[in-house]
Amino acid sequence: MASVRFEGISKVYQKNILAVAKFNLEVEDGELLVLVGPSGCGKSTTLRLLAGLEEPTTGELFINDHPIIDKKPQDRDIAMVFQNYALYPHMTVFDNMAFSLRMKKMPKELITTNVQETAEILGISDYLNRKPRELSGGQRQRVAVGRAIVRHPSVFLFDEPLSNLDAKLRVQMRNELSRLHTRLKATMIYVTHDQAEAMTLGDRIVVLKDAYIQQIASPLDLYDFPENSFVAGFIGSPAMNFLPVSLENSVLRSGDILIQASIYSEVPDGKYTFGIRPEDIYPDADAPLEGRVEVLETLGNENIIYMKFAGRQFTVRCGPQVQIAPGEPLRFSIDISRSHLFDPDGIRVKVDA
Ligand code: ADP
C-alpha cells in the first residue's frame, strides 16, 4: 500500500481557467480521504492529476515518497473508479474484471482465482457470465469496483462512483465501500459533491471551493470547528443558519434583537456573522426570541421548521412532538455554546472554552 503527497500542485486549463490552486496534502497509507465541494471546485481534476490523465501546471506528486510526475498513467499503480462505470459493454463481467490482468500477462489460473475471489468479496459471483447491460446500476458499480480491486493497486481513486444510483442504493453502496476499505486497508481518495457521503465515508475530508482548499479535518472537527463560513454552510444538513450581528460590550444584537453574549466577552467589538445549526435551536414557550413559522416538515422521527427570524430564513430541527402551524409565532432559545461568529472575511472567530 502507499502514501500519497501533493506538493504545491496547481492546474490552469486553457483560457486561464484555474482548476486546482496550490494543493498541498499528505494522504496516509491506508487512509480513506474524501475530497468534497460544489461542482467545478476542482475535485475531478485533482484525481486526474494524480492518475496521470492531466499534467499539472506546477507542483510535484509523490507515491511512497517517489516522484511520479514523469510516469505514464499505467505505470503509476493507481486504479480509478468512475461515476459512469466505464465497463466494456461487449465483454462479460469476468472479462471486464480480467482485462487489465491479461494486459499484464498474468498467468491464466491466477487471473481466474483473482477474479473469483474479488467477485466473492463484492457479492457478484453469480453474474460473472453476464454482460453489463444485464446488470442493475448497483451491480455494475460493483463490477467497476471489482475491476479496480483485482489489480491490487497502491492507491484507489473514486470519482463520484455512486452518483448514478438511487438514494437507497447509494446508502447501501456507501456502506459496502466503507467495509471494503476496512477489509483491504487500502489507500483511497474519494471525490463527491455530497457532504453526507463525505461525512460518513472519510477518515479525513478536504473541503474545496473555487480551486482552493478550505479546510482539511476529520468529519467531526469539520462539523464542530469549521474554519470559515463556507465550510460551516456546506457541511451539515439542514445547513447552518447565518445572521448578521454586531457585538458591542460583549452584547450580541441583530438590529434591535438582543441575541445574548456571555461566551463572546473576549471577542473585540465589531460586525460579525452569527452561525447556529438547526439542532441547536430549541422551541421553548418561555424563551425571549421569537420567529414566525413558514413551513413545517414532519419526517416522522423529527420535524424541520422553516421560520422567519430577524428578516432571515431560519431552520429549526426538533422532535416530532413539536406541533406548530405555518403563520404561528415560535418562541425559541439558542444553545449559545454551540454557536459561531465569523469575521467580515468569513473566518471563524476562535473562542476559548
Ligand atoms: P469538479 O470535479 O469539482 O466538478 P473539475 O475538476 O471537473 O471540478 O473542474 C474544475 C474547473 O476546471 C471547472 O471550472 C471546469 O470547468 C474546469 N475544467 C475541467 N476540465 C477542463 C478542461 N479539460 N478544459 C478546460 N477547463 C476544464
Side-chain angles (χ1 to χ4, degrees), residues 291-324:
R292 190 155 293 273
V293 177
E294 292 188 318
V295 175
L296 171 73
E297 284 181 354
T298 48
L299 298 171
N301 61 332
E302 63 179 10
N303 286 351
I304 308 290
I305 298 169
Y306 300 89
M307 66 175 176
K308 229 356 170 254
F309 171 62
R312 298 265 160 160
Q313 169 106 46
F314 251 58
T315 312
V316 182
R317 181 182 220 160
C318 52
Q321 74 285 358
V322 178
Q323 288 302 329
I324 193 154

Side-chain angles (χ1 to χ4, degrees), residues 13 17-19 38-45 54:
Y13 286 112
I17 295 172
L18 179 63
S39 177
C41 69
K43 307 180 293 293
S44 291
T45 302
E54 300 285 351

Side-chain angles (χ1 to χ4, degrees), residues 35-51:
L35 301 179
V36 69
S39 177
C41 69
K43 307 180 293 293
S44 291
T45 302
T46 306
L47 276 201
R48 293 170 60 80
L49 286 164
L50 183 59

Side-chain angles (χ1 to χ4, degrees), residues 45 158 174 194 202 213 245 279 317 340 344:
T45 302
F158 294 92
R174 189 164 91 192
D194 179 349
I213 292 180
V245 292
E279 64 269 31
R317 181 182 220 160
H340 300 294

Side-chain angles (χ1 to χ4, degrees), residues 1 37 62 120 201 225 299:
M1 284 302 149
F62 301 86
E120 190 69 28
L201 271 176
F225 308 106
L299 298 171

